[in-house]
Amino acid sequence: RKKTLCFLKLNQEELSPENVDQEVIYGDFGDVPLEHLSVLAREVFLPMLTNPRNQVGWPEVITREVVENLHKFIANVYVTIGQTKGKTLLPLPP
């Protein structure tokens, strides 16, 4: 089996054995990372970024652009998944 690991350092400070648990988060993707990315974008990022409570202080133009770009990203990931499987997958409009 193939697995992809990702690590994210939370702050600029130097890592040590004592602080690595607090300063680094990690995750893994199974053997289908594009499918994981698609689910993450649709089920986490999209609801989070389209929630009006998370858009407080954003100008309307920025809100619209962020949401449009996220929809384009999700559609592109979907098409790419199809290409990797040798299929033509067409995204539905948002």
Side-chain angles (χ1 to χ4, degrees):
R1 288 180 36 149
K2 295 180 182 177
K3 189 178 259 192
T4 303
L5 296 174
C6 61
F7 296 89
L8 178 63
K9 186 176 173 189
L10 299 174
N11 297 302
Q12 294 291 327
E13 68 183 73
E14 188 174 323
L15 294 178
S16 69
E18 292 78 29
N19 72 359
V20 72
D21 287 341
Q22 294 81 31
E23 297 298 325
V24 177
I25 57 174
Y26 62 92
D28 63 69
F29 300 101
D31 56 349
V32 286
L34 284 175
E35 282 84 349
H36 287 264
L37 179 61
S38 179
V39 170
L40 182 68
R42 285 182 290 114
E43 295 184 11
V44 177
F45 297 144
L46 185 62
M48 183 173 53
L49 291 173
T50 56
N51 185 333
R53 291 180 296 183
N54 295 330
Q55 299 170 350
V56 173
W58 292 10
E60 181 63 31
V61 172
I62 298 297
T63 301
R64 206 171 326 115
E65 189 172 331
V66 166
V67 172
E68 286 174 9
N69 284 328
L70 183 57
H71 282 295
K72 287 177 190 175
F73 174 75
I74 291 170
N76 285 333
V77 170
Y78 186 72
V79 169
T80 303
I81 289 170
Q83 290 172 337
T84 63
K85 295 179 178 181
K87 298 179 180 179
T88 300
L89 297 181
L90 300 175
L92 295 173

